[in-house]
Amino acid sequence: MSLAAETNESLAQLSNELIYASMAVYTLAFLAHIAEWVLGSRSKVGRTAAALTDRAKATASAPAVQVKQAGGATAVLDKPTVVTRSGAGVRDVPDGPGAAGGTVKGDLYGRIAVSLTALAFLIEAAGVVSRALAVQRAPWGNMYEFSTTFSTVAVGAYLGFLVAKKNVRWIGLPLVTTVLLDLGLATTWLYTDSDQLVPALDSYWLWIHVSTAIFCGAVFYLGAVATLLYLFRDSYENKLATGGNPGSFARSVLERLPSAASLDKFSYRINAAIFPLWTFTIIAGAIWAGDAWGRYWGWDAKEVWSFITWVGYAAYLHARATAGWKGRKAAYIALIAFGCFLFNYYGVNIFVSSKHSYAGV
C-alpha cells in the first residue's frame, strides 16, 4: 500500500472516530437540555402570568380622569381603554421565559447544553473535514457523508442564530435529539467506506449544487421545528382563550416557549429567506444534469421530488399572503413541504430507482 493510500485510510479512520466522539458529546448536551427543562423553575412563569393578569385588571378598573373646567369646576370623564394588537388574527401574548424558566439554576444548565453543543459541532465538523481530506473531494458523495454534513450545518446554523443574539435556545433540545438520530442512522445503516466518485459526480457542480441543497435542508429543518412548535403553542393559546384548562405538562412546557405569533414569524422568515436559494439549487442541478447527461430535465425521481418540494414551499409562501390561509393552514403546508424534502432524500435514495441511485447509501 502506498503512503498516500495509508494516509487516506488513516484520515478516514480519524473521521469515523471524530463522528463517534461528537455523538458522545451531543448525548451530554441532550442530557443538559433535559436538565434545563426539568430543573428550570416554573415559578417565574406563574409570576409572569399573574403580573399580566393584574395588569389587565388594573387597566380595566383604571380610575376616572378629572378635568378642570372654567370657573374651577371639575368634570369626571371615564379613562379610555387602549387596545393594542399585533396584527389581524394575532393574540397579544408575551413570549415565555424559555426552557430555563427564567431562573439562574435552569439557565446554568442551558448554557452548559449550548457549550456542549458547540463543542460537539466542532468535533463533528473536524470529522467532516477529515473525511474530505481522506477522499480528496467534497464530503457529500453518498448518504453517509450527506447525513454527517447535514447535521453539522444544521447545528452550525443554530449556533449562528445564537451568536447573532436571536432567542432560539428553545430549538436546542429537538435539534440535538434529531442530530443524534441522524448520526445514529448514518453510522449504522448508511455508512459507506471512503471511495472516489463515479465520473458523472466528479464535477465542480458537486460543490455548488449539493452544498446549497445541504444548507437549504438544514435551515428548512429549523423552520419545520418552529412550525411544529407553533401548532402546539397555538392550540395551547386557543384553549386558554376559550376558558380551557390545559394539563400541568402542557403548562410547564408550552408556557416557556415563545408565543405562537413569535414562532410563526420565525418559521416564515426562515422559509422565505431560504426559498430563493432552494430555487437556485434546482437550477444548478439542471445545469449539472446538462453537463453530465446531455439534458437539463428528464423527470427523474430526484428531479421530480425536488420540484415538488419547491412547489410545496411556494404554496406555503403564497398561502401566507392569502386571506384565510394564514396561520395553521399555512403551517400544515410548510410541514408537508418539509416532508417532501425528507422523502426526496431518504425515500427516493433508498426505495426508488433513479439516475441518482449511483451515489449509493
Side-chain angles (χ1 to χ4, degrees):
M1 182 181 293
S2 65
L3 179 60
E6 291 179 356
T7 301
N8 292 340
E9 185 177 350
S10 298
L11 287 171
Q13 182 61 32
L14 174 62
S15 173
N16 296 339
E17 293 173 355
L18 288 171
I19 295 299
Y20 280 110
S22 70
M23 292 176 66
V25 181
Y26 277 129
T27 301
L28 296 177
F30 170 79
L31 296 176
H33 275 300
I34 291 293
E36 179 188 16
W37 279 95
V38 173
L39 301 179
S41 173
R42 280 78 163 172
S43 60
K44 186 173 181 178
V45 177
R47 291 198 301 270
T48 301
L52 291 173
T53 302
D54 293 340
R55 188 184 309 168
K57 290 179 179 178
T59 301
S61 59
V65 179
Q66 292 186 349
V67 180
K68 287 187 177 181
Q69 295 179 333
T74 59
V76 179
L77 304 177
D78 291 333
K79 185 175 181 179
T81 302
V82 179
V83 179
T84 59
R85 298 186 185 279
S86 301
V90 179
R91 305 177 204 87
D92 297 302
V93 178
D95 292 337
T103 63
V104 175
K105 183 178 181 180
D107 185 64
L108 174 62
Y109 286 109
R111 293 180 182 275
I112 292 174
V114 172
S115 299
L116 290 171
T117 302
L119 176 60
F121 163 76
L122 294 175
I123 296 173
E124 186 182 11
V128 171
V129 172
S130 299
R131 179 78 173 197
L133 295 175
V135 296
Q136 298 180 357
R137 56 168 172 77
W140 43 74
N142 52 59
M143 289 187 69
Y144 167 76
E145 295 173 356
F146 189 101
S147 296
T148 54
T149 306
F150 176 87
S151 58
T152 303
V153 174
V155 176
Y158 163 70
L159 295 175
F161 279 117
L162 290 177
V163 171
K165 306 298 183 181
K166 302 298 181 181
N167 180 24
V168 295
R169 206 162 84 184
W170 44 270
I171 297 181
L173 180 57
L175 173 65
V176 171
T177 303
T178 307
V179 167
L180 283 172
L181 293 174
D182 176 68
L183 292 179
L185 183 64
T187 54
T188 54
W189 290 350
L190 303 179
Y191 181 77
T192 304
D193 290 328
S194 59
D195 199 0
Q196 295 304 309
L197 298 173
V198 296
L201 281 178
D202 191 10
S203 169
Y204 63 89
W205 282 106
L206 179 68
W207 290 92
I208 300 173
H209 171 63
V210 182
S211 63
T212 53
I214 291 173
F215 180 76
C216 289
V219 182
F220 276 148
Y221 163 77
L222 297 181
V225 171
T227 302
L228 186 62
L229 292 178
Y230 156 75
L231 292 174
F232 285 114
R233 173 77 188 204
D234 184 63
S235 296
Y236 175 77
E237 292 180 6
N238 277 333
K239 193 168 187 178
L240 290 178
T242 56
N245 185 25
S248 58
F249 178 79
R251 285 186 176 275
S252 65
V253 174
L254 296 176
E255 283 195 0
R256 290 192 275 176
L257 288 175
S259 66
S262 296
L263 292 169
D264 184 47
K265 184 185 300 182
F266 177 79
S267 61
Y268 169 68
R269 288 180 174 178
I270 279 188
N271 291 329
I274 295 301
F275 179 73
L277 189 59
W278 180 249
T279 304
F280 169 78
T281 302
I282 296 177
I283 295 173
I287 296 174
W288 186 10
D291 290 344
W293 300 319
R295 67 8 170 225
Y296 294 104
W297 191 267
W299 297 104
D300 182 71
K302 179 71 69 173
E303 298 168 348
V304 169
W305 278 96
S306 295
F307 179 68
I308 291 175
T309 303
W310 183 91
V311 171
Y313 278 106
Y316 164 74
L317 296 177
H318 179 70
R320 292 282 311 204
T322 303
W325 279 89
K326 295 180 180 180
R328 298 183 67 87
K329 291 182 179 179
Y332 292 137
I333 297 175
L335 291 179
I336 291 173
F338 185 70
C340 292
F341 175 87
L342 290 180
F343 180 80
N344 189 29
Y345 174 52
Y346 288 105
V348 173
N349 284 358
I350 297 176
F351 303 110
V352 180
S353 177
S354 71
K355 293 180 72 67
H356 292 76
S357 299
Y358 52 67
V361 296

